[in-house]
């Protein structure tokens, strides 16, 4: 029987040199295919620059591509090399609506100061070192949408991916003039000073959800087989801190695959969150879309082989058919130790990447089951 699982890994520019040369990309794709992976998520939007030549960026900011890659097209190289070894490619818009990190808004907000997100004191919105564009502003939304559409129109990719900054905005944002005026028009009062007021949270989250619905439909209009993937913060924390209403995205079918970032450094914490996701936030119908993000490496931290295997095995026990690892370099540490663990264990047998119909098949069967139950209920009521 053909196993179908999502076995993915993120390719970063941070703490990684894999994207710096075509030969390194080719070697990495071969290595991943040999290890049992079937999909890569290469970063294409990071630190306010693209990793492909972008006409949108050229026209608005005069910067066609990350200066490190002038004369090259890393995304095109990843696509070519991944296709050669049978890997799927889903470009990852890692920076999302962030504009810079500890750079007071960076080039993006120097050129477009009106795009800045504002906190309740009118200051540039900053959280955990990141400065933010206003994700609720129609022009800013259009800009990010245009980057996404450039990628799906110009490259042979299998989809696109958002993350914990896309669609997202720190809850402290939304106090710019435009957003305040929109809120006032609807509620006849200014937004509450408390950024975590429930109505204010939900109202802003709904704007982001509606934006993502538009992005989803525009991507599908290019090619209905393209996958829309997202790797958000875990709900409900992600909702309260970054306005990410992921249960609504799932309910409204605005994501084909979702990778909540269960970035915990020991297995018991991982297990507790995985349990909560499966038991409270997913149904039999939506579970095929879940492939959690697992932290493999960050700074000096590297996942233990025991935890790695436990997490994958526990996912399968829960009916979760896949995971995505942050990030590639963790596989190469200690003479490829973790890659060998995967190849000799849970990824020893090859698995094909699920089709869009695989991800939706439970939805259809669940509807059938539901209609049968409804019919039985009506029958018993009428007795």
């Amino acid at each position: 029987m053909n196993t179908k699982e999502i076995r993915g890994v993120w390719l970063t520019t941070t703490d990684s040199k894999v994207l710096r040369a075509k030969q390194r990309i080719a070697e990495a794709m071969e290595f991943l295919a040999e290890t049992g992976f079937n999909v890569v998520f290469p970063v294409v939007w990071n630190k306010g620059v693209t990793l492909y030549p972008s006409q949108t960026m050229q026209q608005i900011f005069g910067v066609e591509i990350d200066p490190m890659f002038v004369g090259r097209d890393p995304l095109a190289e990843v696509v070519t090399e991944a296709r050669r070894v049978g890997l799927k490619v889903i470009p990852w818009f890692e920076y999302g609506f962030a504009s810079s990190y500890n750079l007071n808004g960076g080039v993006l907000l120097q050129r477009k100061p009106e795009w800045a997100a504002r906190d309740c004191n009118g200051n540039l919105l900053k959280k955990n070192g990141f400065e933010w564009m206003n994700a609720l502003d129609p022009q800013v939304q259009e800009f990010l949408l245009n980057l996404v559409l450039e990628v799906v129109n110009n490259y042979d990719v299998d989809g696109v991916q958002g993350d914990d900054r896309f669609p997202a905005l720190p809850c402290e944002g939304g106090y710019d003039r435009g957003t305040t005026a929109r809120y006032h028009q609807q509620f006849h009062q200014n937004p509450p000073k408390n950024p975590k007021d429930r109505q204010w949270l939900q109202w802003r989250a709904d704007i982001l959800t509606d934006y993502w619905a538009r992005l989803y439909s525009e991507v599908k209009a290019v090619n209905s087989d393209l996958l829309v993937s997202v790797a958000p913060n875990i709900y409900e924390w992600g909702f309260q801190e970054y306005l990410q209403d992921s249960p609504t995205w799932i309910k409204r079918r605005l994501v084909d695959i979702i990778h909540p970032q269960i970035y915990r450094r020991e297995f018991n914490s991982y297990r507790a969150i995985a349990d909560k996701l499966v038991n409270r936030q997913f149904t039999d119908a939506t579970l095929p879309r879940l492939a959690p993000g697992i932290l493999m490496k960050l700074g000096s931290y590297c996942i233990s082989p025991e935890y790695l295997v436990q997490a994958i095995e526990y996912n399968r026990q829960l009916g979760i058919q896949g995971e995505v690892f942050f990030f590639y370099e963790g596989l190469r540490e200690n003479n490829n130790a973790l890659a060998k663990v995967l190849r000799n264990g849970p990824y020893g047998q090859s698995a094909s990447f699920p089709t869009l119909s695989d991800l939706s098949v439970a939805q259809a069967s669940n509807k059938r089951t539901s209609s049968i139950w409804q019919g039985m209920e009506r029958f018993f009521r009428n007795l």
Side-chain angles (χ1 to χ4, degrees):
M1 184 177 156
N2 181 23
T3 304
K4 293 192 176 184
E5 292 178 358
I6 295 165
R7 298 177 178 178
V9 68
W10 280 290
L11 299 179
T12 68
T13 47
T14 307
D15 293 333
S16 175
K17 295 180 179 174
V18 71
L19 296 172
R20 291 195 187 176
K22 188 175 181 183
Q23 187 52 44
R24 283 181 172 160
I25 290 171
E27 183 190 292
M29 297 305 113
E30 288 169 9
F31 178 79
L32 289 171
E34 287 165 8
T35 304
F37 285 89
N38 55 26
V39 58
V40 291
F41 299 91
V43 61
V44 290
W45 170 241
N46 196 16
K47 299 181 182 173
V49 285
T50 53
L51 275 81
Y52 65 90
S54 165
Q55 288 310 113
T56 300
M57 284 294 292
Q58 180 66 52
Q59 286 162 11
I60 301 174
F61 298 103
V63 181
E64 188 182 49
I65 192 169
D66 183 331
M68 191 191 299
F69 300 108
V70 170
R72 287 180 55 215
D73 185 341
L75 176 56
E77 293 169 10
V78 169
V79 169
T80 299
E81 298 303 328
R83 290 281 175 260
R84 185 170 57 82
V85 294
L87 294 173
K88 302 282 185 187
V89 181
I90 300 180
W92 167 41
F93 290 80
E94 180 184 10
Y95 233 54
F97 287 112
S99 62
S100 58
Y101 185 76
N102 289 328
L103 290 174
N104 198 36
V107 172
L108 301 184
L109 295 184
Q110 280 171 20
R111 186 68 60 93
K112 286 280 188 183
E114 70 274 20
W115 283 9
R118 301 283 169 192
D119 65 19
C120 65
N121 297 314
N123 298 320
L124 172 61
L125 179 61
K126 183 171 181 175
K127 187 161 178 162
N128 297 330
F130 288 96
E131 292 101 11
W132 284 74
M133 294 184 284
N134 182 10
L136 308 174
D137 180 281
Q139 278 192 11
V140 175
Q141 292 182 346
E142 193 79 15
F143 165 65
L144 262 292
L145 176 61
N146 286 337
L147 293 185
V148 169
L149 292 177
E150 275 186 331
V151 166
V152 295
N153 278 303
N154 297 329
Y155 295 88
D156 175 27
V157 295
D158 297 285
V160 287
Q161 185 182 65
D163 76 342
D164 55 0
R165 290 188 283 266
F166 187 48
L169 183 72
C171 68
E172 295 83 2
Y175 292 92
D176 58 283
R177 281 184 194 166
T179 306
T180 300
R182 282 164 77 184
Y183 187 87
H184 196 280
Q185 188 177 10
Q186 189 166 340
F187 298 105
H188 308 293
Q189 60 186 28
N190 286 331
K193 287 286 185 189
N194 173 16
K196 291 189 179 174
D197 173 89
R198 194 71 191 190
Q199 177 182 279
W200 175 225
L201 280 176
Q202 191 66 59
W203 185 81
R204 289 171 296 164
D206 288 347
I207 293 174
L208 292 180
T209 297
D210 289 342
Y211 166 68
W212 196 252
R214 181 186 166 203
L215 182 146
Y216 186 90
S217 66
E218 295 217 17
V219 167
K220 295 291 183 174
V222 173
N223 179 348
S224 59
D225 290 332
L226 287 166
L227 293 162
V228 176
S229 151
V230 68
N233 284 304
I234 296 159
Y235 188 82
E236 153 135 345
W237 188 89
F239 174 78
Q240 292 187 353
E241 296 294 332
Y242 287 93
L243 309 177
Q244 295 200 296
D245 191 358
S246 50
T248 298
W249 305 344
I250 296 160
K251 195 196 251 169
R252 286 181 58 183
R253 305 193 71 183
L254 306 179
V255 289
D256 299 311
I257 327 173
I258 189 162
H259 318 282
Q261 296 180 18
I262 314 184
Y263 288 179
R264 297 298 181 270
R265 298 193 183 202
E266 48 92 30
F267 174 65
N268 287 337
S269 298
Y270 178 90
R271 179 174 59 190
I273 295 167
D275 282 342
K276 200 182 205 177
L277 283 171
V278 171
N279 295 325
R280 296 191 202 168
Q281 292 174 30
F282 287 81
T283 63
D284 289 347
T286 56
L287 193 60
R289 299 176 196 194
L290 174 62
I294 296 177
L295 183 62
M296 181 173 268
K297 175 178 165 56
L298 186 64
S300 61
Y301 168 78
C302 208
I303 196 170
S304 71
E306 295 77 20
Y307 175 7
L308 175 66
V309 173
Q310 278 179 310
I312 296 170
E313 286 180 348
Y314 196 67
N315 282 351
R316 301 301 176 272
Q317 281 178 40
L318 292 175
I320 298 171
Q321 296 302 312
E323 48 281 319
V324 183
F325 294 102
F326 186 86
F327 59 106
Y328 172 78
E329 297 300 335
L331 295 164
R332 307 307 301 253
E333 296 252 307
N334 304 319
N335 193 26
N336 308 332
L338 295 176
K340 289 170 186 168
V341 168
L342 291 173
R343 196 181 306 159
N344 298 325
Y347 287 6
Q349 182 188 346
S350 66
S352 56
F353 190 87
T355 63
L356 200 48
S357 59
D358 293 326
L359 299 168
S360 305
V361 71
Q363 189 85 18
S365 64
N366 196 275
K367 278 179 183 165
R368 282 197 299 274
T369 309
S370 167
S371 64
I372 291 166
W373 276 110
Q374 285 166 3
M376 287 174 70
E377 282 174 1
R378 280 195 297 273
F379 172 76
F380 284 112
R381 275 202 305 270
N382 294 332
L383 278 177

